[in-house]
Amino acid sequence: QVQLVESGGGLVQAGGSLRLSCAASGRTFSNYRMAWFRQAPGKEREFVATISWSGGSTYYADSVKGRFTISRDNAKNTVYLQMNSLRPEDTAVYYCAASYLALGSAGRDFDYWGQGTPVTVSS
């Protein structure tokens, strides 16, 4: 089992920045590929970004590419999502997730999920 706890969400104006954190506990953090997903009100959950076990490889949804950066610190068992140039359409609950698989950006590819942290971007 892996427990994931997100933090860092909040209210920010358009154009602003936030950094989300996801602290993991339980099994060896470095064994898992990590990702961020989000779900806006009335919409389906969508993939945001993922990072490999070592942190050497990342992949982003087109909607956030160039604005968001995913990173991880295996010594601290934590994954981050730096969000810059935020837009009202980035408003959502953000979830981190952990996967044993090397590839895949669908929700079903991930084994463990956090409870989410809300992000609201005002215009």
Side-chain angles (χ1 to χ4, degrees), residues 37-58:
F37 287 77
R38 67 185 182 186
Q39 187 166 19
K43 295 187 176 182
E44 294 188 351
R45 182 178 58 196
E46 65 173 352
F47 167 80
V48 175
T50 189
I51 187 166
S52 62
W53 300 287
S54 66
S57 177
T58 58

Side-chain angles (χ1 to χ4, degrees), residues 9-32:
L11 174 64
V12 63
Q13 288 188 332
S17 299
L18 280 177
R19 189 175 82 153
L20 306 183
S21 300
C22 173
S25 60
R27 296 190 174 181
T28 305
F29 178 69
S30 58
N31 287 346
Y32 293 87

Side-chain angles (χ1 to χ4, degrees), residues 35 40 51 53 86 88 95 110 115 119:
I51 187 166
W53 300 287
L86 282 161
Y95 300 89
F110 291 82
Q115 83 291 345
V119 171

Side-chain angles (χ1 to χ4, degrees), residues 8 12-20 36 38 48-49 60-71 80-91 94 119-122:
V12 63
Q13 288 188 332
S17 299
L18 280 177
R19 189 175 82 153
L20 306 183
W36 288 94
R38 67 185 182 186
V48 175
Y60 297 90
D62 287 344
S63 58
V64 306
K65 200 173 295 182
R67 300 187 298 123
F68 290 11
T69 302
I70 189 171
S71 62
Y80 305 97
L81 186 68
Q82 178 67 44
M83 306 187 295
N84 298 329
S85 302
L86 282 161
R87 304 167 181 168
E89 54 264 40
D90 295 319
T91 295
Y94 283 71
V119 171
T120 302
V121 184
S122 63

